[in-house]
Every structure is written in structure tokens, then in C-alpha cells.
């Protein structure tokens, strides 16, 4: 019930049992600030209303899954241009927040975060004329793909940027590496899934995070690569679960590819920070931009 922010929990309970959690403003302030042990009291109040089963309880024989972070370093021109972009948007975003407030500066905040996240992945996401250039993250991915192919293993590769997936496709085509691909425009989803699941020669599946993060059974893969971090860790978990689901017989290894000293590291820190709040109230997930504060922006653009 809680995926984007804690207010969703209040909305659900207000519908089911009006007045139980008081007004939205008082509830939000109390939980965020943990006034007088508000979170512990909320946990006790909700416990009789929550019915939840984890995957481990439903499928006790499911193999383990491990999640790891692979770091890469931006170098040379890519690093210099990222730093130039970061300085520009830090000044522009914080100035907009000071002048207009967080609520009215949302578009500038989103633009700045989007551009920095793109720049951390590949320069071709910022300038289409640079699709043929290399990037630290692309080099790291291709290196890992080569290792998996030598071992005969299959992998899922997720990104929320279809342009980045397109750049990966170009590299795979140039090297003659077979793969399957799925995004929001794909019509023959079932056929592509069937080929990946059954064809030993097809060891890679490139998938748009939003289009393929749910509803797919891809248990032929035991490796999952997340090319860029998403605000909501529940979305990432759903992507990993395309391989880690009933029918899987091997341990699943998931890797997040993160560029050091970029907004991507800050996103991971912000994820952990936001999750702590909900973890104290219930076993859920939190993420998204709705609860960003000025100090969060200082962190993201630092």
C-alpha cells in the first residue's frame, strides 16, 4: 500500500476507516518528525489491519537472490562534462527553489536530475550525435556480458532509458551478439519471451524498466543488470523478480551499475533514507520525488 510516499497509507485508511489517522497534514507531520513516538504507535494501530505474505512464505523452496552494486568511474571528457552539467543545474535548481519554493520549482528539479542521470549513463543520452562514443558504464556492462557469454549464462538488462538500451543494441549488433529486446512499442512480447526462455543461443534480454518490470516470467536468466537507479526501489525489485520467481532453480544475482561521485550515488543514499521511515511503520517500500526537501536537493546535486 505504500509505494511512492507515506501519504498513500493515510489515503487508504481514510477510505477504509475515516478519521482513524486524523487529518492528512497532522499525520504527515507527526510521522515524518516521529513526534511522541508516532511511528511506533502507528505500527501498533495498523498491525491488526495488515495481512501480508512474502515470497519466501509462499515459495519456501525458491533459491536465494543476491543484490550487488558495481561501481564505475567517469573519466576524461565524460567526467568533465558531467561536472560542468552538475554545477549548472545545482545553481539553477537551488536558485529556483529559493525564488519560487519547492512546489513551483518541480519542473526545474526534474529536468536537472534527469540530465545528470543521463550524463552518468552515456553522453549519447544528452546529445544524439554522440551515440557512438564510449562511456564508463557501457564499458563495464559489455565486459560483464562477455564474461557471462563465456560461462554460458543468461542475463536480463534493464534501463528506464530506451535510448541507452538502443546504444547497447548497437554495440551488440556490431559484435554479432544475439539478444532479445522489449520496450513499450513491442507487440510480440510472448514470442520474444519464448525465444529467450528456450533458445540456448540467446543469452541476453534488453528490457525497458517500465514496460517489462512486471508481468514477465524470465526464469532462464540467473543474472540481472539494472543500468540506472530508479527512485522507487519497489520498481527495481519487481524487475529483479522477472528472474527470481516460481520456476527458478538457480540463485539469482542482481547488479546495479552506478557511476561514482554522480547523482546515482545520491539516489541510492536517498532511497535508503526514505525507506527507513516506512520500515519503521510497516514492511513496505518508499521512493519517488513527492517528499523531496531542500536538504535532499543539496544531497542530490552535491
Amino acid at each position: 500500500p505504500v509505494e511512492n510516499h507515506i501519504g498513500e497509507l493515510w489515503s487508504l485508511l481514510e477510505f477504509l476507516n475515516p478519521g482513524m489517522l486524523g487529518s492528512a497534514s497532522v499525520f504527515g507531520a507527526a510521522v515524518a518528525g516521529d513526534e511522541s513516538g508516532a511511528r511506533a504507535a502507528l505500527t501498533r494501530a495498523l498491525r491488526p489491519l495488515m495481512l501480508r505474505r512474502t515470497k519466501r512464505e509462499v515459495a519456501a523452496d525458491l533459491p536465494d537472490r543476491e543484490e550487488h552494486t558495481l561501481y564505475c568511474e567517469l573519466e576524461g571528457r565524460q567526467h568533465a562534462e558531467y561536472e560542468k552539467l552538475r554545477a549548472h543545474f545545482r545553481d539553477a535548481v537551488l536558485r529556483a527553489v529559493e525564488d519560487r519554493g519547492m512546489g513551483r520549482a518541480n519542473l526545474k528539479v526534474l529536468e536537472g536530475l534527469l540530465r545528470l542521470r543521463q550524463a552518468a549513463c552515456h553522453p549519447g543520452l544528452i546529445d544524439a550525435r554522440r551515440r557512438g562514443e564510449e562511456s564508463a558504464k557501457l564499458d563495464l556492462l559489455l565486459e560483464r556480458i562477455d564474461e557471462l557469454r563465456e560461462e554460458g549464462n543468461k542475463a536480463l538488462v534493464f534501463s528506464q532509458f530506451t535510448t541507452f538500451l538502443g546504444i547497447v543494441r548497437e554495440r551488440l549488433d556490431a559484435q554479432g551478439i544475439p539478444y532479445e529486446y522489449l520496450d513499450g512499442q513491442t507487440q510480440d512480447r510472448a514470442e520474444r519471451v519464448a525465444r529467450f526462455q528456450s533458445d540456448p543461443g540467446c543469452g541476453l534480454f534488453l528490457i525497458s524498466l517500465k514496460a517489462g518490470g512486471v508481468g514477465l516470467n524470465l526464469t532462464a536468466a540467473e543474472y540481472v543488470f539494472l543500468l540506472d537507479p530508479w527512485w522507487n526501489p519497489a520498481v527495481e525489485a519487481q524487475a529483479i523478480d522477472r528472474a527470481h520467481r516460481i520456476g527458478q532453480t538457480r540463485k539469482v544475482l542482481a547488479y546495479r551499475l552506478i557511476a561514482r561521485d554522480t547523482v546515482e550515488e545520491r539516489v541510492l543514499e536517498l532511497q535508503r533514507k526514505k525507506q527507513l521511515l516506512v520500515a519503521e511503520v510497516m514492511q513496505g517500500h518508499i521512493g519517488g520525488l513527492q517528499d523531496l526537501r531542500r536538504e535532499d536537493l543539496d544531497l542530490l546535486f552535491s
Side-chain angles (χ1 to χ4, degrees), residues 28-278:
V31 174
D34 198 18
E35 298 177 3
S36 304
R39 298 178 199 171
L42 180 60
T43 300
R44 291 194 298 272
L46 294 179
R47 188 173 294 119
L49 307 178
M50 294 294 177
L51 190 62
R52 180 176 184 263
R53 293 190 302 169
T54 64
K55 184 192 302 181
R56 179 60 63 190
E57 293 169 332
V58 175
D61 57 343
L62 196 63
D64 291 336
R65 92 177 188 188
E66 295 181 3
E67 298 183 22
H68 303 278
T69 301
L70 297 178
Y71 290 98
C72 59
E73 303 276 355
L74 302 189
E75 298 179 347
R77 183 181 178 186
Q78 187 182 11
H79 178 264
E81 292 183 347
Y82 178 88
E83 287 300 311
K84 182 179 179 180
L85 204 62
R86 183 195 61 79
H88 166 75
F89 278 111
R90 177 178 174 81
D91 292 342
V93 167
L94 296 183
R95 185 167 57 250
V97 171
E98 290 292 338
D99 293 343
R100 304 196 296 271
M102 279 292 297
R104 301 181 63 184
N106 276 347
L107 290 180
K108 179 60 70 173
V109 172
L110 289 171
E111 180 191 4
L113 294 176
L114 172 64
R115 295 308 178 198
L116 290 180
R117 291 170 56 237
Q118 290 176 326
C121 290
H122 194 282
L125 275 65
I126 301 292
D127 185 349
R129 296 171 296 182
R130 301 177 60 187
R131 290 174 65 98
E133 297 183 14
E134 300 301 319
S135 78
K137 187 172 293 191
L138 179 62
D139 291 343
L140 177 59
L141 174 66
L142 294 177
E143 177 183 325
R144 291 294 174 135
I145 286 176
D146 286 341
E147 293 174 359
L148 295 182
R149 293 186 68 232
E150 291 178 2
E151 298 168 358
N153 295 318
K154 293 196 173 193
L156 311 179
V157 179
F158 286 94
S159 175
Q160 58 207 283
F161 299 121
T162 55
T163 302
F164 195 18
L165 291 178
I167 293 172
V168 175
R169 294 181 73 179
E170 292 170 2
R171 298 300 192 280
L172 297 179
D173 288 338
Q175 298 180 32
I177 298 175
Y179 62 89
E180 271 299 345
Y181 177 86
L182 186 150
D183 64 17
Q185 305 301 314
T186 302
Q187 300 296 321
D188 54 343
R189 292 167 61 105
E191 289 82 353
R192 294 175 185 254
V193 169
R195 183 198 171 204
F196 177 78
Q197 287 286 94
S198 61
D199 186 352
C202 181
L204 288 174
F205 206 145
L206 310 184
I207 307 173
S208 164
L209 185 64
K210 292 184 178 180
V214 295
L216 298 179
N217 189 337
L218 299 168
T219 52
E222 55 187 305
Y223 290 85
V224 180
F225 294 96
L226 301 169
L227 297 188
D228 32 83
W230 185 236
W231 306 106
N232 189 341
V235 174
E236 294 182 352
Q238 288 172 343
I240 297 170
D241 284 344
R242 298 313 94 213
H244 189 249
R245 56 195 300 109
I246 294 174
Q248 179 60 267
T249 59
R250 296 158 296 177
K251 177 190 291 185
V252 172
L253 300 174
Y255 296 94
R256 290 177 176 84
L257 275 60
I258 301 295
R260 283 196 183 277
D261 298 321
T262 70
V263 69
E264 293 188 332
E265 277 195 311
R266 312 299 185 262
V267 169
L268 293 186
E269 293 176 36
L270 190 61
Q271 280 184 355
R272 288 190 289 267
K273 177 181 175 183
K274 295 292 186 181
Q275 279 181 295
L276 288 176
L277 172 60
V278 172

